[in-house]
Amino acid sequence: MNFDVIGIGNAMVDVISPAPDTFLDQMGITKGIMQLIERDRAELLYASMSERVEAPGGSVANTIAGIGELGLQTAFIGKVKDDALGRFYADALDKAGTAFPLAPQQVELPTSRSMIFVSPDGERSMNTYLGAGADISSADVPDVFGTGLLFLEGYLFDKDDGKTAFSEAAGKMKAAGGRSAITISDPFCAERHRADFKRLIAEDMDVAIGNAAEWRTLYETDDLDAALRQAAEVCDIVACTRSGEAVWVQRGFERFTADVTPVTPVDATGAGDQFAAGFLYGICTGAALDVAAAMGVMCAAEVIGHMGPRPEANMMAAFRSAGLV
């Protein structure tokens, strides 16, 4: 089967719970960022949750789910253990209509999970246990490449096996007549792996997505314009979200924008992931870049209006109402 969009990322079960700031202080959780934690800490935080919503997550997986909801044929490649959470993850993707070609594995580490505490102001504090999902290698990537789009998760760049897997997968996608895209994922990741990130974007990527902090970090400049111009010299399409301000998309010397209407968030989890879903849907269907960016903005605005990292509204109907399709 020739999938429209194939994602490779960390298969992560999201466990989401509301929590006041006093609880974060009590548990030593830094508000608003993603912290890596060990297995014992993960079990403690899980047990401390008064309410839980569990969902198959991971940044790129959330994006792929959003694209699938918009009607494209999608697949997600992620590594889970053959344990309760891993089987839940695989079944949930299958029921949602996204292919999961890498079956749960008999591996040592348990399935990855992230305990996400949502404050009353909608800010999320993520406590992530990098289990089996962080160990993707070329050997784990099945040959499902075709003429569609491959979407890669920057978080997996933290390990050499992940870097190799990305380069090889992008090469196979190009050979099959497809294109490749990446989300930078995290400014700290860009800082740690700057040279390799820049090389991957320049040599293997057709589309790159990041926020303002990530682009500034990657190109070591406070001038966002300069960072995006440098990226656009080596990558066909470069997108930048700017924390409630208009989204910028750069193609060569041309700048496209999509305005953002401020929304008070219920839960900011998944905003960037769903921006990518709408934006990449537009790219895959041949929309103009300002239209694709507007699709991304609408998807991000929808997902922050409720708990959970995936859309609840019919976004295709919303696109039609807005005259985007």
Side-chain angles (χ1 to χ4, degrees), residues 91-315:
D91 289 345
L93 259 66
D94 182 63
K95 289 176 182 175
T98 291
F100 190 64
L102 185 62
Q105 306 286 297
Q106 294 292 342
V107 292
E108 180 182 352
L109 293 177
T111 296
S112 305
R113 75 285 308 267
S114 183
M115 270 58 64
I116 303 172
F117 295 94
V118 182
S119 302
D121 62 1
E123 188 62 81
R124 81 267 196 235
S125 306
M126 303 170 68
N127 301 266
T128 301
Y129 170 61
L130 293 178
D135 285 336
I136 286 278
S137 70
S138 295
D140 296 314
V141 180
D143 188 4
V144 292
F145 305 104
T147 57
L149 181 76
L150 174 69
F151 188 44
L152 304 172
E153 182 172 318
Y155 284 127
L156 291 185
F157 228 57
D158 260 333
K159 297 193 177 182
D160 288 341
D161 282 349
K163 294 176 186 177
T164 302
F166 278 8
S167 291
E168 291 186 6
K172 291 176 181 177
M173 199 72 185
K174 185 175 182 179
R179 294 182 290 175
S180 294
I182 193 168
T183 171
I184 298 173
S185 295
D186 181 83
F188 299 109
C189 201
E191 180 79 39
R192 287 191 296 269
H193 306 283
R194 180 177 289 110
D196 287 328
F197 251 120
K198 290 171 76 171
R199 186 181 307 112
L200 185 77
I201 290 171
E203 296 178 0
D204 296 319
M205 294 298 110
D206 302 285
V207 182
I209 300 172
N211 62 33
E214 290 159 359
W215 285 117
R216 290 190 185 107
T217 298
L218 188 61
Y219 287 95
E220 298 180 274
T221 177
D222 291 330
D223 186 340
L224 183 59
D225 272 313
L228 296 181
R229 284 197 301 270
Q230 288 183 69
E233 287 175 2
V234 296
C235 185
D236 186 32
I237 299 170
V238 174
C240 179
T241 57
R242 300 190 302 138
S243 298
E245 297 183 48
V247 170
W248 289 350
V249 179
Q250 197 78 23
R251 186 173 211 167
F253 295 106
E254 203 170 1
R255 167 74 52 83
F256 302 84
T257 63
D259 290 332
V260 172
T261 301
V263 176
T264 301
V266 173
D267 172 16
T269 309
D273 304 337
Q274 293 311 320
F275 168 79
F279 182 65
L280 293 177
Y281 173 83
I283 296 290
C284 290
T285 55
L289 290 181
D290 55 344
V291 173
M295 290 174 170
V297 167
M298 287 187 67
C299 290
E302 191 281 338
V303 81
I304 67 175
H306 57 78
M307 291 284 284
R310 300 186 177 185
E312 292 180 352
N314 183 327
M315 293 310 301

Side-chain angles (χ1 to χ4, degrees), residues 15 36-49 52 110-115 117 127-130:
V15 188
L36 296 179
I37 58 175
E38 298 300 324
R39 187 172 180 174
D40 289 348
R41 173 77 168 163
E43 291 172 353
L44 171 67
L45 292 180
Y46 183 85
S48 73
M49 290 174 151
R52 302 187 193 101
T111 296
S112 305
R113 75 285 308 267
S114 183
M115 270 58 64
F117 295 94
N127 301 266
T128 301
Y129 170 61
L130 293 178

